[in-house]
Amino acid sequence: MLHVRSIWNGVISFGLVRIPIKLVNATESHAIPFREIHTEDGGRIRHRKFCELEDREVTVQEISRGYEEADGTIIPITDEDLTHLPLPTAKTIEIVTFVPEDRIDPLQMGAAYYLAAGRAPAARPYALLREALKRSNRVAIAKFALRGRERLGMLRLVGDTIALHGLLWPDEVRAPEGLAPAADVTVHDRELDLADELMDALSEVGMEDLRDEYREAVEEVVAAKISGEPLPEAPEPERGVRVLDLTTALERSVRALRESRGEEAGTGGERLPRRGTSRAAPKETGARKSTSAAGRTPAGKPTARTERGGAAEQDARKTTARTPAKTAAKKAPAKKTASRKHSA
């Protein structure tokens, strides 16, 4: 069980069944925290709270909340006032309906929480709701009050635990009218085929392989500042590669991915095998394998150097195509091997 502090205690209302639960955060932030400092001397900046009537700093214990009317009058609202809200969801997650999960627009989804059984008697009704959700293949839509307002939520299963996703109310999601291209745009079949091929290739990168490279880069900068070492250099922007049209961009992208994985760079007409299908091992020497490994990032994405190499190889093939077929057949392997050795 997670050893984290609950942020809200209440019950799930499932018809007449009431399930005591505790709400805990399901996610955590790994962002690097920064502090505000005075640029001139590095002093820490503090934000102090002052009462404008008494012109003095006040403590947290002296601060409460209030509602400001149109004329500027402040009406004090205490925690005691909010405990008397005429609202059934003040301490209750009230299930109001069940719907298929694909009915929920991802735009509505917000913070995620886990629901833990509040105490021993809650175990059986908790398991009942969990198994009912599992059998129905649906999610529960509920209303609950948290942090001063009533919210909409979705209950679904994560393993054997019930999770609660905060949802925006439908009228809080803006309509996207006017944001898509206004003019009619024609997409050619060749472009769609290449886009499918690129999507298949990129689909081989699993979600578990992704990482926060921005945070890692910031950590490198911080470590260098602490140790007094030179700051890491930013990568040089790619130069000399000009994409003339959409088809060329797609072809170069597919070719770069093929080369980064040690596959033969074809003309882009044949499809890459989907993940999980059988694939012949690439016939390569050890030198060519090390070249392909050096030309990709840990996440499997081609680097700028790999893409530039793919463009240069495309130009080399065009030049070779102008020579007689027998000559091209003799020279092409030697030129390709030399190119690979040079990049290695």
Side-chain angles (χ1 to χ4, degrees):
M1 179 170 176
L2 291 174
H3 297 285
V4 294
R5 184 175 62 87
S6 62
I7 62 172
W8 185 89
N9 295 337
V11 299
I12 300 175
S13 174
F14 178 33
L16 296 179
V17 178
R18 295 174 67 81
I19 310 168
I21 55 94
K22 296 179 179 180
L23 199 69
V24 300
N25 287 316
T27 61
E28 58 186 5
S29 174
H30 291 162
I32 297 176
F34 289 108
R35 303 295 185 188
E36 292 182 327
I37 62 172
H38 186 196
T39 305
E40 184 176 332
D41 55 21
R44 178 80 179 274
I45 299 297
R46 303 284 183 177
H47 294 271
R48 305 186 186 278
K49 300 180 184 298
F50 277 78
C51 172
E52 64 178 19
L53 294 181
E54 299 183 15
D55 192 25
R56 69 173 181 89
E57 186 177 352
V58 296
T59 63
V60 174
Q61 291 73 21
E62 297 177 89
I63 300 174
S64 59
R65 62 175 68 85
Y67 174 79
E68 184 176 3
E69 295 191 287
D71 62 359
T73 303
I74 301 294
I75 306 299
I77 302 294
T78 66
D79 292 338
E80 179 67 20
D81 295 330
L82 295 178
T83 61
H84 295 88
L85 288 174
L87 189 67
T89 58
K91 280 293 183 180
T92 302
I93 298 175
E94 180 186 3
I95 296 176
V96 293
T97 187
F98 292 85
V99 300
E101 189 169 357
D102 59 9
R103 286 271 305 275
I104 305 301
D105 190 335
L107 286 173
Q108 288 184 256
M109 298 181 66
Y113 310 93
Y114 289 133
L115 302 181
R119 47 186 182 271
R124 193 162 183 272
Y126 186 102
L128 169 67
L129 177 57
R130 179 185 63 202
E131 297 306 313
L133 287 171
K134 187 180 301 183
R135 176 184 289 188
S136 70
N137 289 320
R138 289 179 289 180
V139 296
I141 303 301
K143 295 194 297 183
F144 65 104
L146 182 66
R147 298 190 177 103
R149 57 186 288 254
E150 187 175 55
R151 300 166 185 261
L152 200 61
M154 175 183 73
L155 275 67
R156 71 178 185 95
L157 295 183
V158 177
D160 290 331
T161 303
I162 300 174
L164 171 66
H165 293 267
L167 298 178
L168 296 174
W169 297 94
D171 61 358
E172 291 180 311
V173 178
R174 292 177 174 176
E177 279 82 0
L179 300 179
D184 292 336
V185 179
T186 301
V187 178
H188 301 291
D189 289 340
R190 170 62 174 163
E191 295 169 341
L192 282 174
D193 290 342
L194 285 168
D196 287 343
E197 190 172 352
L198 182 57
M199 290 170 64
D200 287 343
L202 290 173
S203 296
E204 295 188 5
V205 178
M207 290 289 291
E208 65 279 1
D209 298 325
L210 303 179
R211 66 186 197 278
D212 187 350
E213 296 183 49
Y214 179 85
R215 177 172 59 87
E216 293 174 359
V218 173
E219 288 174 345
E220 288 185 35
V221 171
V222 172
K225 297 277 283 187
I226 293 174
S227 62
E229 297 177 357
L231 297 181
E233 295 184 2
E236 287 291 330
E238 186 175 345
R239 301 179 186 277
V241 177
R242 182 183 179 189
V243 177
L244 300 178
D245 55 52
L246 185 57
T247 301
T248 303
L250 289 167
E251 288 176 343
R252 289 184 179 179
S253 299
V254 172
R255 185 179 303 111
L257 279 172
R258 284 179 178 275
E259 293 174 348
S260 72
R261 293 169 184 172
E263 302 169 7
E264 292 295 335
T267 59
E270 60 275 3
R271 299 291 296 276
L272 286 172
R274 292 181 179 274
R275 189 175 189 178
T277 60
S278 60
R279 172 187 312 186
K283 300 178 181 178
E284 297 179 331
T285 64
R288 290 176 63 183
K289 285 183 180 178
S290 64
T291 301
S292 65
R296 68 182 178 214
T297 62
K301 299 180 181 178
T303 61
R305 184 178 65 181
T306 305
E307 187 171 348
R308 288 197 296 272
E313 188 174 338
Q314 182 186 23
D315 295 337
R317 284 199 301 273
K318 289 181 180 178
T319 304
T320 305
R322 298 192 187 101
T323 64
K326 291 183 178 180
T327 305
K330 292 178 180 179
K331 292 184 177 181
K335 182 178 292 187
K336 193 171 185 180
T337 304
S339 174
R340 293 281 186 177
K341 289 180 178 178
H342 177 71
S343 62

